[in-house]
PDB file of all heavy atoms in Angstrom:
ATOM      1  N   GLN A 315      11.221 -24.422 -19.739  1.00  0.00           N
ATOM      2  CA  GLN A 315      11.468 -25.034 -21.047  1.00  0.00           C
ATOM      3  C   GLN A 315      11.250 -26.558 -20.998  1.00  0.00           C
ATOM      4  O   GLN A 315      11.766 -27.235 -20.122  1.00  0.00           O
ATOM      5  CB  GLN A 315      12.910 -24.739 -21.499  1.00  0.00           C
ATOM      6  CG  GLN A 315      13.199 -25.119 -22.950  1.00  0.00           C
ATOM      7  CD  GLN A 315      12.425 -24.243 -23.950  1.00  0.00           C
ATOM      8  OE1 GLN A 315      12.123 -23.114 -23.652  1.00  0.00           O
ATOM      9  NE2 GLN A 315      12.118 -24.818 -25.093  1.00  0.00           N
ATOM     10  N   GLY A 316      10.463 -27.079 -21.905  1.00  0.00           N
ATOM     11  CA  GLY A 316      10.240 -28.490 -21.980  1.00  0.00           C
ATOM     12  C   GLY A 316       9.161 -29.013 -21.066  1.00  0.00           C
ATOM     13  O   GLY A 316       8.832 -30.208 -21.064  1.00  0.00           O
ATOM     14  N   PHE A 317       8.540 -28.133 -20.273  1.00  0.00           N
ATOM     15  CA  PHE A 317       7.545 -28.567 -19.310  1.00  0.00           C
ATOM     16  C   PHE A 317       6.142 -28.661 -19.931  1.00  0.00           C
ATOM     17  O   PHE A 317       5.325 -29.437 -19.479  1.00  0.00           O
ATOM     18  CB  PHE A 317       7.511 -27.617 -18.096  1.00  0.00           C
ATOM     19  CG  PHE A 317       6.932 -28.224 -16.858  1.00  0.00           C
ATOM     20  CD1 PHE A 317       7.714 -28.900 -15.951  1.00  0.00           C
ATOM     21  CD2 PHE A 317       5.558 -28.121 -16.606  1.00  0.00           C
ATOM     22  CE1 PHE A 317       7.186 -29.466 -14.818  1.00  0.00           C
ATOM     23  CE2 PHE A 317       5.007 -28.687 -15.460  1.00  0.00           C
ATOM     24  CZ  PHE A 317       5.845 -29.333 -14.571  1.00  0.00           C
ATOM     25  N   PHE A 318       5.928 -27.827 -20.938  1.00  0.00           N
ATOM     26  CA  PHE A 318       4.592 -27.746 -21.510  1.00  0.00           C
ATOM     27  C   PHE A 318       4.351 -28.830 -22.574  1.00  0.00           C
ATOM     28  O   PHE A 318       5.268 -29.450 -23.056  1.00  0.00           O
ATOM     29  CB  PHE A 318       4.356 -26.361 -22.107  1.00  0.00           C
ATOM     30  CG  PHE A 318       4.329 -25.275 -21.051  1.00  0.00           C
ATOM     31  CD1 PHE A 318       5.492 -24.703 -20.601  1.00  0.00           C
ATOM     32  CD2 PHE A 318       3.121 -24.865 -20.495  1.00  0.00           C
ATOM     33  CE1 PHE A 318       5.458 -23.729 -19.621  1.00  0.00           C
ATOM     34  CE2 PHE A 318       3.086 -23.906 -19.535  1.00  0.00           C
ATOM     35  CZ  PHE A 318       4.259 -23.326 -19.095  1.00  0.00           C
ATOM     36  N   GLY A 319       3.103 -28.992 -22.923  1.00  0.00           N
ATOM     37  CA  GLY A 319       2.765 -29.901 -23.998  1.00  0.00           C
ATOM     38  C   GLY A 319       2.449 -31.318 -23.522  1.00  0.00           C
ATOM     39  O   GLY A 319       1.598 -31.975 -24.109  1.00  0.00           O
ATOM     40  N   THR A 320       3.130 -31.801 -22.503  1.00  0.00           N
ATOM     41  CA  THR A 320       2.911 -33.156 -22.041  1.00  0.00           C
ATOM     42  C   THR A 320       2.258 -33.216 -20.686  1.00  0.00           C
ATOM     43  O   THR A 320       2.137 -34.306 -20.115  1.00  0.00           O
ATOM     44  CB  THR A 320       4.260 -33.912 -21.995  1.00  0.00           C
ATOM     45  OG1 THR A 320       5.095 -33.252 -21.058  1.00  0.00           O
ATOM     46  CG2 THR A 320       4.910 -33.940 -23.354  1.00  0.00           C
ATOM     47  N   VAL A 321       1.880 -32.076 -20.129  1.00  0.00           N
ATOM     48  CA  VAL A 321       1.410 -32.067 -18.732  1.00  0.00           C
ATOM     49  C   VAL A 321      -0.085 -31.889 -18.600  1.00  0.00           C
ATOM     50  O   VAL A 321      -0.602 -31.964 -17.486  1.00  0.00           O
ATOM     51  CB  VAL A 321       2.123 -30.945 -17.947  1.00  0.00           C
ATOM     52  CG1 VAL A 321       3.619 -31.153 -17.991  1.00  0.00           C
ATOM     53  CG2 VAL A 321       1.758 -29.576 -18.497  1.00  0.00           C
ATOM     54  N   LEU A 322      -0.796 -31.652 -19.656  1.00  0.00           N
ATOM     55  CA  LEU A 322      -2.189 -31.246 -19.512  1.00  0.00           C
ATOM     56  C   LEU A 322      -3.081 -32.330 -18.922  1.00  0.00           C
ATOM     57  O   LEU A 322      -4.132 -32.043 -18.358  1.00  0.00           O
ATOM     58  CB  LEU A 322      -2.726 -30.767 -20.866  1.00  0.00           C
ATOM     59  CG  LEU A 322      -2.009 -29.582 -21.481  1.00  0.00           C
ATOM     60  CD1 LEU A 322      -2.688 -29.132 -22.779  1.00  0.00           C
ATOM     61  CD2 LEU A 322      -1.932 -28.413 -20.499  1.00  0.00           C
ATOM     62  N   LYS A 323      -2.701 -33.589 -19.048  1.00  0.00           N
ATOM     63  CA  LYS A 323      -3.492 -34.665 -18.476  1.00  0.00           C
ATOM     64  C   LYS A 323      -2.970 -35.149 -17.135  1.00  0.00           C
ATOM     65  O   LYS A 323      -3.432 -36.142 -16.569  1.00  0.00           O
ATOM     66  CB  LYS A 323      -3.575 -35.833 -19.463  1.00  0.00           C
ATOM     67  CG  LYS A 323      -4.306 -35.477 -20.754  1.00  0.00           C
ATOM     68  CD  LYS A 323      -4.386 -36.671 -21.686  1.00  0.00           C
ATOM     69  CE  LYS A 323      -5.151 -36.288 -22.968  1.00  0.00           C
ATOM     70  NZ  LYS A 323      -5.225 -37.438 -23.911  1.00  0.00           N
ATOM     71  N   PHE A 324      -1.991 -34.450 -16.610  1.00  0.00           N
ATOM     72  CA  PHE A 324      -1.396 -34.773 -15.319  1.00  0.00           C
ATOM     73  C   PHE A 324      -1.871 -33.798 -14.245  1.00  0.00           C
ATOM     74  O   PHE A 324      -2.388 -32.726 -14.549  1.00  0.00           O
ATOM     75  CB  PHE A 324       0.146 -34.654 -15.397  1.00  0.00           C
ATOM     76  CG  PHE A 324       0.827 -35.745 -16.164  1.00  0.00           C
ATOM     77  CD1 PHE A 324       0.756 -35.806 -17.557  1.00  0.00           C
ATOM     78  CD2 PHE A 324       1.544 -36.725 -15.512  1.00  0.00           C
ATOM     79  CE1 PHE A 324       1.393 -36.809 -18.261  1.00  0.00           C
ATOM     80  CE2 PHE A 324       2.173 -37.720 -16.195  1.00  0.00           C
ATOM     81  CZ  PHE A 324       2.128 -37.772 -17.574  1.00  0.00           C
ATOM     82  N   LYS A 325      -1.680 -34.189 -12.993  1.00  0.00           N
ATOM     83  CA  LYS A 325      -1.786 -33.225 -11.917  1.00  0.00           C
ATOM     84  C   LYS A 325      -0.397 -32.574 -11.785  1.00  0.00           C
ATOM     85  O   LYS A 325       0.612 -33.249 -11.651  1.00  0.00           O
ATOM     86  CB  LYS A 325      -2.193 -33.894 -10.613  1.00  0.00           C
ATOM     87  CG  LYS A 325      -3.649 -34.397 -10.630  1.00  0.00           C
ATOM     88  CD  LYS A 325      -4.074 -34.894  -9.255  1.00  0.00           C
ATOM     89  CE  LYS A 325      -5.501 -35.422  -9.268  1.00  0.00           C
ATOM     90  NZ  LYS A 325      -6.521 -34.408  -9.535  1.00  0.00           N
ATOM     91  N   VAL A 326      -0.384 -31.262 -11.895  1.00  0.00           N
ATOM     92  CA  VAL A 326       0.888 -30.516 -11.939  1.00  0.00           C
ATOM     93  C   VAL A 326       1.076 -29.740 -10.629  1.00  0.00           C
ATOM     94  O   VAL A 326       0.203 -28.980 -10.207  1.00  0.00           O
ATOM     95  CB  VAL A 326       0.900 -29.526 -13.132  1.00  0.00           C
ATOM     96  CG1 VAL A 326       2.221 -28.743 -13.137  1.00  0.00           C
ATOM     97  CG2 VAL A 326       0.731 -30.284 -14.432  1.00  0.00           C
ATOM     98  N   GLY A 327       2.200 -29.987  -9.974  1.00  0.00           N
ATOM     99  CA  GLY A 327       2.520 -29.292  -8.737  1.00  0.00           C
ATOM    100  C   GLY A 327       3.024 -27.894  -9.033  1.00  0.00           C
ATOM    101  O   GLY A 327       3.815 -27.680  -9.943  1.00  0.00           O
ATOM    102  N   VAL A 328       2.535 -26.925  -8.268  1.00  0.00           N
ATOM    103  CA  VAL A 328       2.901 -25.522  -8.457  1.00  0.00           C
ATOM    104  C   VAL A 328       3.269 -24.935  -7.085  1.00  0.00           C
ATOM    105  O   VAL A 328       2.587 -25.158  -6.102  1.00  0.00           O
ATOM    106  CB  VAL A 328       1.788 -24.690  -9.088  1.00  0.00           C
ATOM    107  CG1 VAL A 328       2.189 -23.226  -9.257  1.00  0.00           C
ATOM    108  CG2 VAL A 328       1.358 -25.276 -10.416  1.00  0.00           C
ATOM    109  N   TRP A 329       4.351 -24.190  -7.070  1.00  0.00           N
ATOM    110  CA  TRP A 329       4.863 -23.566  -5.841  1.00  0.00           C
ATOM    111  C   TRP A 329       5.057 -22.089  -6.123  1.00  0.00           C
ATOM    112  O   TRP A 329       5.429 -21.692  -7.234  1.00  0.00           O
ATOM    113  CB  TRP A 329       6.211 -24.203  -5.499  1.00  0.00           C
ATOM    114  CG  TRP A 329       7.046 -23.517  -4.444  1.00  0.00           C
ATOM    115  CD1 TRP A 329       6.720 -23.288  -3.157  1.00  0.00           C
ATOM    116  CD2 TRP A 329       8.366 -23.007  -4.625  1.00  0.00           C
ATOM    117  NE1 TRP A 329       7.747 -22.673  -2.491  1.00  0.00           N
ATOM    118  CE2 TRP A 329       8.782 -22.480  -3.382  1.00  0.00           C
ATOM    119  CE3 TRP A 329       9.261 -22.946  -5.679  1.00  0.00           C
ATOM    120  CZ2 TRP A 329      10.021 -21.881  -3.178  1.00  0.00           C
ATOM    121  CZ3 TRP A 329      10.486 -22.353  -5.490  1.00  0.00           C
ATOM    122  CH2 TRP A 329      10.858 -21.833  -4.255  1.00  0.00           C
ATOM    123  N   ILE A 330       4.755 -21.246  -5.137  1.00  0.00           N
ATOM    124  CA  ILE A 330       5.027 -19.811  -5.277  1.00  0.00           C
ATOM    125  C   ILE A 330       6.376 -19.524  -4.653  1.00  0.00           C
ATOM    126  O   ILE A 330       6.586 -19.700  -3.458  1.00  0.00           O
ATOM    127  CB  ILE A 330       3.925 -18.962  -4.609  1.00  0.00           C
ATOM    128  CG1 ILE A 330       2.555 -19.299  -5.240  1.00  0.00           C
ATOM    129  CG2 ILE A 330       4.239 -17.465  -4.777  1.00  0.00           C
ATOM    130  CD1 ILE A 330       1.381 -18.513  -4.651  1.00  0.00           C
ATOM    131  N   ASP A 331       7.336 -19.094  -5.503  1.00  0.00           N
ATOM    132  CA  ASP A 331       8.721 -18.940  -5.011  1.00  0.00           C
ATOM    133  C   ASP A 331       8.915 -17.606  -4.293  1.00  0.00           C
ATOM    134  O   ASP A 331       8.023 -16.825  -4.136  1.00  0.00           O
ATOM    135  CB  ASP A 331       9.703 -19.125  -6.183  1.00  0.00           C
ATOM    136  CG  ASP A 331       9.693 -17.954  -7.164  1.00  0.00           C
ATOM    137  OD1 ASP A 331       8.940 -16.971  -6.969  1.00  0.00           O
ATOM    138  OD2 ASP A 331      10.486 -18.028  -8.137  1.00  0.00           O
ATOM    139  N   LYS A 332      10.179 -17.376  -3.876  1.00  0.00           N
ATOM    140  CA  LYS A 332      10.506 -16.177  -3.104  1.00  0.00           C
ATOM    141  C   LYS A 332      10.226 -14.886  -3.857  1.00  0.00           C
ATOM    142  O   LYS A 332       9.998 -13.840  -3.253  1.00  0.00           O
ATOM    143  CB  LYS A 332      11.985 -16.207  -2.702  1.00  0.00           C
ATOM    144  CG  LYS A 332      12.254 -16.891  -1.361  1.00  0.00           C
ATOM    145  CD  LYS A 332      13.702 -16.735  -0.984  1.00  0.00           C
ATOM    146  CE  LYS A 332      13.980 -17.161   0.453  1.00  0.00           C
ATOM    147  NZ  LYS A 332      13.386 -16.266   1.437  1.00  0.00           N
TER     148      LYS A 332
END
Side-chain angles (χ1 to χ4, degrees):
Q315 191 67 30
F317 201 89
F318 293 85
T320 61
V321 301
L322 299 184
K323 295 181 180 180
F324 287 74
K325 291 187 181 295
V326 179
V328 180
W329 167 62
I330 301 180
D331 72 0
K332 270 186 169 291

